[in-house]
Amino acid sequence: MILETIGQLLIKVREENPLVHNMTNVVVTNFTANGLLALGASPVMAYAKQEVADMAKIAGALVLNIGTLNEHEIEAMLIAGKSANQHGVPVLFDPVGAGATAYRTETSQHLAQELDLAFIRGNAAEIANVIGERWEIKGVDAKEAGGDVEDLARAAAKKLRTIVAITGKVDVISDGEMTYSIHNGHPILTKVTGTGCLLTSVMGAFAAIANDKLIAGAAALVCYGVAAQLAAEKVAGVGPGSFQIEFLNALHNLTADDVRRFGDIEKRE
Ligand code: ATP
Ligand code: TZP
Ligand code: MG
Ligand code: MG
């Protein structure tokens, strides 16, 4: 039963407290660190090209996020990513805003080509643009999905030879052969910036402690979505400010039993 496995992985994250090295954007840095701590992982942010290779190799996962990219950071991401690859540390990539500008699209494609990525997570438009298909994107937010998201995830996973997670109202994760869809989450997540970025880092925490990376990614999506549902219920009718705080509490307090009761995941082939 997959929800049992997911609950066990949640417990394992807390037991192992994996170090997650984040090279992320200036908007979400604090929220990402607090979200990882709340879940039971150990965050570190490190950017200097003089140290990123050393940090990445001792981490359980490396998360690269181009939300506020610049040329120095991209240079450092390549150094960190190559070190992680050499030392068997999973590298996760969040192509924030791919498709919004040529620089973001080209940088995403370059990172995906140069590095051996364990996962890419983004909205449908970002993932489409990384594989050279045009879907509309407004700044860093997806417009309504304009095609079949499961087909897109499968195609992107095959083309990029990695696991691809596409999130939105429904989340989809695929390694190109096997695909899962996850029906957890809550619309209020779209009213707090950084909930996608934190999710990619949470996937890093699960990738750090699990051998089966597809199940690890699916576990992160289910746990995150269930935590959001529980938090939204607690602050119903209040607003995104209270939700942001309650969501950290929910990540901290989430149990295997919550996952069993509220997890909604479907195998799609
Ligand atoms: P975007 O910029 O398009 O908002 P993002 O990088 O912020 O993308 P999301 O797709 O918003 O990432 O995913 C973050 C979390 O929000 C995921 O857990 C996802 O399931 C959830 N989510 C997003 N939209 C909805 C929705 N309409 N209903 C329920 N959950 C949602
Ligand atoms: N601008 C550049 S990065 C960023 C914004 C608003 C944060 C995006 O975070 P998320 O998790 O993709 O909503
Ligand atoms: Mg969002
Ligand atoms: Mg995003």
Side-chain angles (χ1 to χ4, degrees), residues 111-131:
L111 287 170
Q113 197 167 28
E114 290 295 312
L115 299 176
D116 185 3
L117 298 174
F119 292 90
I120 300 189
R121 190 217 59 89
N123 62 46
E126 289 163 345
I127 299 300
N129 278 281
V130 176
I131 61 164

Side-chain angles (χ1 to χ4, degrees), residues 80-252:
K82 285 185 176 163
S83 169
N85 284 166
Q86 274 165 18
H87 294 90
V89 175
V91 181
L92 295 92
F93 179 45
D94 189 329
V96 183
T101 67
Y103 183 47
R104 282 173 193 259
T105 310
E106 284 157 18
T107 300
S108 298
Q109 291 172 349
H110 185 61
L111 287 170
Q113 197 167 28
E114 290 295 312
L115 299 176
D116 185 3
L117 298 174
F119 292 90
I120 300 189
R121 190 217 59 89
N123 62 46
E126 289 163 345
I127 299 300
N129 278 281
V130 176
I131 61 164
E133 287 182 19
R134 283 215 56 83
W135 284 39
E136 260 194 282
I137 182 157
K138 180 181 144 206
V140 298
D141 293 324
K143 291 195 169 180
E144 279 296 291
D148 188 312
V149 174
E150 282 184 20
D151 284 348
L152 175 61
R154 274 188 213 98
K158 281 190 178 140
K159 186 159 181 182
L160 302 169
R161 285 195 227 93
T162 183
I163 296 172
V164 173
I166 299 178
T167 57
K169 188 170 187 298
V170 175
D171 299 335
V172 172
I173 186 164
S174 180
D175 63 3
E177 300 298 328
M178 183 98 80
T179 303
Y180 291 96
S181 70
I182 292 105
H183 298 254
N184 291 112
H186 191 280
I188 201 167
L189 282 164
T190 66
K191 300 297 176 199
V192 176
T193 194
T195 52
C197 302
L198 170 58
L199 172 55
T200 308
S201 292
V202 164
M203 292 176 82
F206 279 84
I209 57 91
N211 294 325
D212 184 331
K213 300 297 186 227
L214 184 62
I215 296 293
L221 293 168
V222 169
C223 289
Y224 200 83
V226 170
Q229 286 168 222
L230 295 173
E233 204 176 290
K234 279 210 169 160
V235 297
V238 185
S242 301
F243 172 76
Q244 185 179 19
I245 297 300
E246 201 52 47
F247 183 48
L248 295 177
N249 295 336
L251 286 171
H252 184 70

